[in-house]
Amino acid sequence: MAINSKIGDNLILGGVSRIVFVPWVKAQETNVWSKGTNGFALDDVVADTTSISQDEPETNAIDCETRDEPIYENVTLGAYKFSCESANIDKDILQNALGFKVSGEGSTLKAYAPATYAELWAEVEVQFTNGTSLVLPKVKLISNIDASSLKTGIVRGVIGGTAYSTNVDGNDTPFYVSGTVVNKVTEGGK
């Protein structure tokens, strides 16, 4: 058996450079969701609020009457969850991440919170300074507004949800690591 050193080959991720959000769109004719062609960068994310985590796996065992080991174990992987808090709650974020109905812009902007839950999906990519990305290709959003502690704080859009598997390069996956940036951002673009 050979044991090899990994010094110099390690992939250590730190230093988030950007979080990219690409809404999924629902085709009116078929009611089928697919990744949209336009997205935006979440540039004003509050420090230390971004997380991608996986729930603990769940094990259901069928115990045995005559010994301590189970007869059978069913293991279900834990879901991947994403969350971040955006200091920017502009029209794009209100509409595409928080589900608000939006009209007007600037001083004529009106944004109405949804009265009931409406399904929203997005791809979320966390890009790092070394060019590597963590990607959740299909996140079912459950986001909200946090307008508390306003004397010393700010209103935040709490963007979060659960990742679901979708086909990426022939693999069904809820989450993957990419050695390159997946969604390129046009600087200063609208």
Side-chain angles (χ1 to χ4, degrees), residues 41-108:
L42 298 172
D43 291 322
D44 293 315
V45 173
V46 177
D48 295 326
T49 64
T50 303
S51 72
I52 297 172
S53 59
Q54 184 179 16
D55 293 341
E56 291 293 323
E58 186 176 308
T59 303
N60 295 310
I62 305 298
D63 291 331
C64 181
E65 190 72 35
T66 60
R67 60 183 185 278
D68 289 340
E69 297 92 23
I71 296 170
Y72 177 78
E73 282 186 323
N74 179 31
V75 179
T76 305
L77 290 178
Y80 285 90
K81 306 276 176 89
F82 169 79
S83 182
C84 76
E85 295 181 13
S86 176
N88 176 11
I89 57 165
D90 70 5
K91 184 177 179 176
D92 285 334
I93 293 171
L94 286 169
Q95 188 171 333
N96 295 304
L98 303 174
F100 279 56
K101 182 178 176 186
V102 177
S103 65
E105 296 201 34
S107 64
T108 64

Side-chain angles (χ1 to χ4, degrees), residues 17-190:
S17 61
R18 172 169 279 141
I19 299 170
V20 176
F21 186 92
V22 181
W24 279 49
V25 293
K26 188 176 187 180
Q28 290 182 342
E29 317 80 51
T30 61
N31 286 331
V32 174
W33 289 90
S34 61
K35 180 182 170 183
T37 56
N38 294 315
F40 49 89
L42 298 172
D43 291 322
D44 293 315
V45 173
V46 177
D48 295 326
T49 64
T50 303
S51 72
I52 297 172
S53 59
Q54 184 179 16
D55 293 341
E56 291 293 323
E58 186 176 308
T59 303
N60 295 310
I62 305 298
D63 291 331
C64 181
E65 190 72 35
T66 60
R67 60 183 185 278
D68 289 340
E69 297 92 23
I71 296 170
Y72 177 78
E73 282 186 323
N74 179 31
V75 179
T76 305
L77 290 178
Y80 285 90
K81 306 276 176 89
F82 169 79
S83 182
C84 76
E85 295 181 13
S86 176
N88 176 11
I89 57 165
D90 70 5
K91 184 177 179 176
D92 285 334
I93 293 171
L94 286 169
Q95 188 171 333
N96 295 304
L98 303 174
F100 279 56
K101 182 178 176 186
V102 177
S103 65
E105 296 201 34
S107 64
T108 64
L109 175 72
K110 300 263 188 205
Y112 304 95
T116 59
Y117 177 76
E119 213 173 8
L120 289 175
W121 296 84
E123 176 174 276
V124 177
E125 177 185 5
V126 178
Q127 300 176 352
F128 293 88
T129 53
N130 70 352
T132 304
S133 294
L134 302 178
V135 184
L136 299 123
K138 186 179 180 186
V139 177
K140 185 174 188 177
L141 298 171
I142 305 172
S143 302
N144 61 64
I145 288 275
D146 180 8
S148 58
S149 302
L150 294 179
K151 181 176 181 177
T152 58
I154 58 173
V155 176
R156 301 173 185 208
V158 181
I159 301 167
T162 302
Y164 284 74
S165 291
T166 191
N167 190 290
V168 178
D169 302 326
N171 300 289
D172 282 336
T173 184
F175 171 76
Y176 67 98
V177 178
S178 176
T180 61
V181 168
V182 175
N183 296 291
K184 304 232 184 288
V185 176
T186 303
E187 297 298 332
K190 286 198 169 219

